[in-house]
Amino acid sequence: EWSGLGTLMTSSRTTRMQTLQRLTEMQEFLKFVADARNFDGFSAAGELLRKWSCRLPDSRLDPVHIWDDVVQNRCVMMDKLTVLFEKQADGSTTAIGGLSMDMDEDSSMDVTSPMRHSTDGGSSGTATVASLSAFRELCLREQATLFLTLAGSARLQSNHSVARRYLKLSQDL
């Protein structure tokens, strides 16, 4: 489809690129989760988050709904990564790649609430409690940055109600 679009068809190309970004990030997440070696430490997860933070929609050209999709997807994926690391630290599993991607009732995917914190002081894997806490903080900082960046984009596009909503969400973290 991409090769069939003319170079002057910028609107059509932009729409295709917006779809590709969401699919690319989902594919990166699924590949990451499928490889149990990525859960031996937190460096691979941190690298994935850094890669995503360098790939944001354009503040002026991309509509707010595209920003919202990207931000919500990333928040869900960061929350799921945190849950998977918590399960490994709790000793719930030894093979992360075999975990179900379904969320259980006690770990809701509400991105407006802070990520769950482990109360267990023990660690059975290489994921230590201190490292898990640092990873949680990294995810919360990334969420706040995404919310603030989206708020800035919404303000530039004169969508002040969305800008206020995401400013409030960033404060609630």
Side-chain angles (χ1 to χ4, degrees):
E1 288 183 41
W2 182 263
S3 62
L5 297 174
T7 57
L8 299 177
M9 299 178 71
T10 56
S11 178
S12 296
R13 284 179 167 239
T14 301
T15 302
R16 294 284 178 228
M17 289 300 289
Q18 292 165 346
T19 303
L20 285 174
Q21 179 175 2
R22 289 178 290 198
L23 292 174
T24 299
E25 289 178 1
M26 180 61 72
Q27 183 180 26
E28 290 170 346
F29 171 75
L30 292 173
K31 281 184 178 179
F32 181 89
V33 171
D35 188 355
R37 292 175 297 178
N38 288 328
F39 293 91
D40 289 341
F42 295 95
S43 62
E47 191 60 37
L48 180 64
L49 296 182
R50 277 187 287 285
K51 185 189 307 185
W52 287 349
S53 68
C54 294
R55 194 185 312 142
L56 291 173
D58 187 85
S59 295
R60 292 190 185 270
L61 298 179
D62 290 319
V64 172
H65 71 89
I66 296 299
W67 272 91
D68 188 54
D69 285 348
V70 168
V71 168
Q72 295 301 322
N73 286 341
R74 287 182 184 181
C75 289
V76 166
M77 290 183 280
M78 284 187 284
D79 190 47
K80 188 60 183 175
L81 284 175
T82 303
V83 169
L84 291 172
F85 276 117
E86 286 175 348
K87 286 185 177 188
Q88 179 163 345
D90 289 342
S92 307
T93 183
T94 57
I96 296 295
L99 284 177
S100 167
M101 291 304 293
D102 295 327
M103 297 300 295
D104 47 323
E105 293 176 18
D106 68 321
S107 58
S108 95
M109 296 305 287
D110 180 14
V111 296
T112 62
S113 64
M115 296 194 183
R116 300 178 330 147
H117 294 278
S118 174
T119 56
D120 183 14
S123 173
S124 63
T126 57
T128 65
V129 174
S131 296
L132 182 58
S133 178
F135 182 72
R136 273 194 214 104
E137 288 300 315
L138 175 66
C139 288
L140 286 173
R141 273 194 312 274
E142 183 62 25
Q143 264 187 335
T145 300
L146 285 170
F147 288 169
L148 291 172
T149 307
L150 192 152
S153 176
R155 183 189 57 80
L156 288 173
Q157 296 178 28
S158 298
N159 195 336
H160 300 292
S161 62
V162 172
R164 265 192 308 274
R165 178 175 159 240
Y166 275 94
L167 283 173
K168 172 114 176 68
L169 285 174
S170 70
Q171 287 177 327
D172 293 343
L173 291 176

